[in-house]
């Protein structure tokens, strides 16, 4: 880059423009996953949509790679790039709630903690993942599921409109009526088509829930998984529920002599009438006795943040995911073999239920191409010591490879590891039944593939 070109960028940008020579560069280039160590040529910390246009124009005109960073949680490291431009939305975290229309306008750098806090004040909410430090942008563009997905659908199902910057540097408002093909693609097609500067969501009544983690002895794991696959098929849609394997952390509700032991957990979230909670959860309690639990009434944002302390920034991450149409006995046998081997307190396997309201959306209504899936498996390996990289990635890969023959084709795009994203067959399978239509939209809005630092759909 010549100095005049960089000066020109700085003159156009209201926010900070950070280069390797500037104080704060190390902080500006650091992302959530400590395995990702990249050095961009410049980080543009956008203060508004005009700054985003300037960054996109600069990357295109200078023929530099462009990474778009929302909440910076991207495990494969798509929020940064070597030698290129990072469009960083972390300074744009505003959330505005319209309690009458029951909508939220959310800027691209906001996290789910930001949205949850603003919406909760009005007794409203929307499907928002499991970790509240996750960025709203990345979760939404990939589809989005969490505790209340069975009741309210995927996050992308609740998207009403978006403000975007295209590869040509045009600012567009997209919705069902305006640029409908692009709006369709944004709901499950990831960051392939434009840089989204803000999102508008439909909200739902959601305040206090009844739920929390329940820990059971491993000897009951088979019974719990078999119960779960049957019970969740017809359970009330106000009930979110998923199992997982966890090493017990040092928390007050866990007996001291059991801290560090491995358990199978169930995490219910009842968002219906509070007086019905115990009745609905009675079958869950009857499967097996709990060793420890922290279940009761709590604000929805509290449950959405319950796993945050296990996943602070700066740990090393390697994840893989799978979709499941039917949880077979053979798949359960794999879980019983690999789940109890969970290697660190930060690692896990979660098996999310994505039926209910998720299934009532027409398969072609959004770009999310897995409406026939009943469950979504995620296997996150998370650790702090680089010396364990080989061991940890092997546990994730072995678990995934053993489950794959008993799972549906493809995996959730937001759970793809970096090595998966490098394989076109894996990327095609992750986008599912709509891949070819997504390619058509990509050719229309980004024929030069400027937005390629992602789970890329090549034009």
């Amino acid at each position: 880059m010549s100095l005049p070109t960089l000066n020109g960028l700085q003159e156009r940008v209201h926010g900070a423009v950070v280069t390797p020579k500037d104080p704060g560069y190390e902080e500006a280039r650091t992302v959530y996953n400590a395995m990702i160590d990249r050095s961009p040529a410049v980080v543009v910390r956008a203060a508004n949509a005009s700054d985003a246009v300037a960054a996109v124009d600069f990357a295109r005109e200078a023929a530099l790679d462009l990474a778009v960073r929302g909440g910076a949680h991207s495990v494969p490291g798509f929020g940064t790039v070597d030698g290129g431009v990072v469009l960083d939305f972390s300074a744009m975290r505003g959330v505005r709630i319209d309690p009458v229309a029951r909508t939220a306008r959310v800027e691209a750098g906001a996290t789910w903690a930001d949205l949850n806090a603003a919406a909760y004040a009005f007794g409203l909410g929307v499907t928002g993942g499991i970790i509240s430090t996750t960025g709203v942008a990345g979760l939404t563009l990939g589809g989005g599921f969490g505790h209340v997905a069975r009741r309210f659908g995927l996050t992308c199902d609740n998207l009403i409109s978006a403000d975007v910057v295209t590869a040509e540097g045009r600012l567009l408002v997209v919705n069902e009526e305006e640029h409908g093909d692009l709006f369709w693609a944004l709901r499950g097609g990831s960051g392939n088509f434009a840089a989204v500067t803000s999102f508008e969501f439909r909200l739902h009544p959601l305040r206090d829930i009844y739920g929390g983690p329940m820990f059971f002895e491993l000897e009951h794991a088979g019974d719990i998984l078999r119960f779960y696959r049957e019970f969740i098929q017809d359970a009330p849609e106000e009930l979110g529920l998923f199992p997982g394997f966890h090493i017990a952390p040092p928390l007050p509700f866990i007996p001291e002599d059991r801290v560090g032991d491995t358990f199978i957990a169930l995490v219910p979230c009842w968002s219906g009438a509070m007086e019905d909670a115990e009745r609905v959860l009675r079958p869950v309690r009857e499967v097996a006795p709990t060793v420890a639990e922290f279940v009761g009434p709590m604000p929805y944002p509290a449950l959405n943040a319950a796993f945050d302390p296990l996943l602070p920034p700066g740990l090393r991450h390697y994840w893989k995911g799978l979709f499941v149409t039917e949880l077979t006995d053979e798949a359960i046998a794999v879980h019983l073999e690999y789940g109890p081997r969970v290697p660190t307190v930060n690692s896990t396997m979660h098996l999310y239920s994505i039926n209910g309201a998720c299934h009532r959306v027409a398969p072609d209504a959004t770009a999310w191409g897995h409406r026939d899936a009943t469950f979504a498996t995620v296997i996150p390996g998370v650790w702090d010591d680089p010396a364990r990289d080989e061991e940890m990635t092997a546990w994730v890969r072995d678990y995934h490879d053993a489950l794959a023959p008993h799972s549906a084709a493809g995996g959730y795009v937001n759970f793809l590891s970096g090595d998966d994203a490098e394989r076109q067959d894996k990327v095609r399978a992750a986008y599912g039944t709509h891949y070819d239509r997504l390619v058509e939209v990509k050719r229309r809005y980004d024929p030069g593939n400027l937005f390629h630092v992602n789970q890329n759909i090549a034009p």
Side-chain angles (χ1 to χ4, degrees):
M1 290 182 297
S2 64
L3 187 59
T5 303
L6 184 56
N7 283 344
L9 175 65
Q10 291 170 326
E11 289 172 1
R12 288 187 63 186
V13 172
H14 182 69
V17 176
V18 186
T19 72
K21 296 180 180 180
D22 294 321
Y25 174 76
E26 285 301 311
E27 185 271 335
R29 77 180 187 90
T30 301
V31 291
Y32 179 72
N33 183 358
M35 293 186 78
I36 308 301
D37 183 18
R38 294 177 187 150
S39 300
V42 60
V43 178
V44 178
R45 290 187 149 167
N48 50 44
S50 178
D51 287 357
V53 173
V56 169
D57 285 346
F58 181 78
R60 184 188 65 251
E61 293 165 5
L64 292 173
D65 289 337
L66 173 67
V68 181
R69 180 188 300 170
H73 257 236
S74 171
V75 169
F78 294 141
T80 187
V81 65
D82 276 324
V85 179
V86 172
L87 170 52
D88 182 359
F89 285 115
S90 61
M92 294 175 57
R93 296 178 63 168
V95 178
R96 184 175 62 82
I97 305 298
D98 183 336
V100 177
R102 291 182 177 174
T103 61
R105 172 63 68 176
V106 185
E107 290 185 323
T111 67
W112 284 100
D114 298 325
L115 175 50
N116 289 341
Y120 181 78
F122 296 97
L124 299 170
V126 69
T127 304
I130 303 298
I131 308 297
S132 76
T133 56
T134 302
V136 170
L139 188 84
T140 303
L141 296 174
F145 40 82
H147 294 291
V148 293
R150 297 186 69 247
R151 183 177 184 187
F152 301 134
L154 302 175
T155 311
C156 71
D157 297 338
N158 293 280
L159 186 65
I160 300 171
S161 72
D163 295 346
V164 310
V165 178
T166 69
E168 295 177 341
R170 298 172 62 206
L171 273 169
L172 300 179
V173 176
V174 300
N175 51 43
E176 292 281 6
E177 289 75 36
E178 300 177 80
H179 307 285
D181 55 345
L182 179 55
F183 182 60
W184 174 86
L186 292 178
R187 290 172 291 164
S190 194
N192 274 282
F193 310 97
V196 182
T197 61
S198 71
F199 300 79
E200 184 183 15
F201 293 101
R202 179 183 308 105
L203 301 180
H204 307 271
L206 180 64
R207 188 180 286 274
D208 292 348
I209 59 87
Y210 190 96
M214 309 168 70
F215 289 87
F216 303 84
E217 299 285 10
L218 286 175
E219 65 187 73
H220 301 301
D223 291 336
I224 287 169
L225 291 173
R226 286 185 288 270
F227 161 80
Y228 170 67
R229 73 176 174 191
E230 303 300 330
F231 176 72
I232 204 64
Q233 300 293 336
D234 301 311
E237 291 182 1
E238 295 92 338
L239 180 66
L241 181 68
F242 66 86
F245 290 95
H246 281 276
I247 296 174
L251 294 172
F253 69 92
I254 295 174
E256 281 189 32
D257 62 340
R258 302 309 304 272
V259 171
D261 289 350
T262 303
F263 297 96
I264 186 166
L266 283 171
V267 183
C269 173
W270 171 254
S271 60
M274 198 64 68
E275 61 268 23
D276 294 332
E278 278 296 336
R279 175 184 58 80
V280 172
L281 289 181
R282 189 174 301 122
V284 179
R285 294 192 175 282
E286 291 174 350
V287 178
T290 58
V291 176
E293 65 175 75
F294 189 72
V295 177
M298 66 180 75
Y300 168 74
L303 182 61
N304 194 229
F307 290 97
D308 289 5
L310 293 176
L311 296 169
L315 296 176
R316 304 176 77 79
H317 291 250
Y318 183 79
W319 297 20
K320 284 188 181 290
L322 294 156
F323 285 117
V324 182
T325 302
E326 180 185 359
L327 185 59
T328 64
D329 288 342
E330 291 79 9
I332 288 175
V334 173
H335 286 298
L336 298 180
E337 179 180 357
Y338 287 91
R341 300 181 195 173
V342 60
T344 66
V345 70
N346 318 92
S347 303
T348 188
M349 185 289 302
H350 283 172
L351 187 62
Y352 302 123
S353 49
I354 48 172
N355 58 347
C358 303
H359 280 184
R360 291 203 303 276
V361 176
D364 61 351
T366 70
W368 201 74
H370 300 275
R371 293 289 173 184
D372 57 340
T374 306
F375 307 103
T377 308
V378 61
I379 310 165
V382 187
W383 66 104
D384 61 359
D385 183 0
R388 299 188 68 180
D389 285 1
E390 185 175 348
E391 167 203 352
M392 295 296 301
T393 56
W395 174 72
V396 175
R397 285 174 178 152
D398 291 347
Y399 200 157
H400 169 273
D401 292 349
L403 278 176
H406 313 293
S407 303
Y412 182 36
V413 64
N414 285 345
F415 293 160
L416 281 189
S417 59
D419 50 8
D420 287 331
E422 293 171 358
R423 291 180 49 183
Q424 195 58 35
D425 61 325
K426 290 280 190 180
V427 171
R428 174 182 279 272
Y431 290 115
T433 55
H434 302 311
Y435 183 81
D436 291 338
R437 183 176 171 187
L438 286 166
V439 171
E440 293 176 8
V441 180
K442 178 74 169 180
R443 288 172 179 164
R444 190 171 301 126
Y445 289 93
D446 185 19
N449 206 12
L450 180 66
F451 298 106
H452 67 271
V453 183
N454 46 42
Q455 300 89 346
N456 192 234
I457 298 168

